[in-house]
Amino acid sequence: MKERKSYTEIMKARSAKANAENFMMDVYIQMILDEAVFNYKKLKLEEKINEALDRYDKESFQKLSEEYVQLLKYA
């Protein structure tokens, strides 16, 4: 004969499943946000590097290029 679960047990099981689903949703959302921030930072650095090149600003170019390389290391 099949054992019947109490309402409390059923609700705890549902809650555990919902918590796991919410956790995974949070992970996916965080990944999307991280990717968006990374792409934004990369784009802005590329623009600044191009501006430094246009101005023949070697010092700024080198500094920004180092930042760009560091950003790509963690990608």
Side-chain angles (χ1 to χ4, degrees), residues 60-73:
S60 292
F61 171 77
Q62 288 176 333
K63 179 182 167 268
L64 293 165
S65 294
E66 288 173 13
E67 286 182 41
Y68 189 78
V69 167
Q70 290 300 314
L71 180 67
L72 294 181
K73 274 187 182 179

Side-chain angles (χ1 to χ4, degrees), residues 7-61:
Y7 176 78
T8 304
E9 290 172 330
I10 293 170
M11 294 311 292
K12 283 182 183 178
R14 279 186 164 179
S15 177
K17 184 179 178 185
N19 286 340
E21 289 172 358
N22 287 339
F23 173 77
M24 288 308 299
M25 186 64 71
D26 289 345
V27 169
Y28 293 139
I29 291 169
Q30 188 62 51
M31 288 170 60
I32 290 168
L33 291 173
D34 289 345
E35 183 73 15
V37 169
F38 169 79
N39 287 332
Y40 177 79
K41 286 181 179 181
K42 183 178 174 224
L43 177 67
K44 289 301 173 186
L45 274 173
E46 289 169 350
E47 289 173 355
K48 289 179 181 181
I49 289 169
N50 287 333
E51 290 172 8
L53 285 171
D54 291 342
R55 292 188 319 266
Y56 298 98
D57 185 350
K58 184 177 179 180
E59 187 178 317
S60 292
F61 171 77

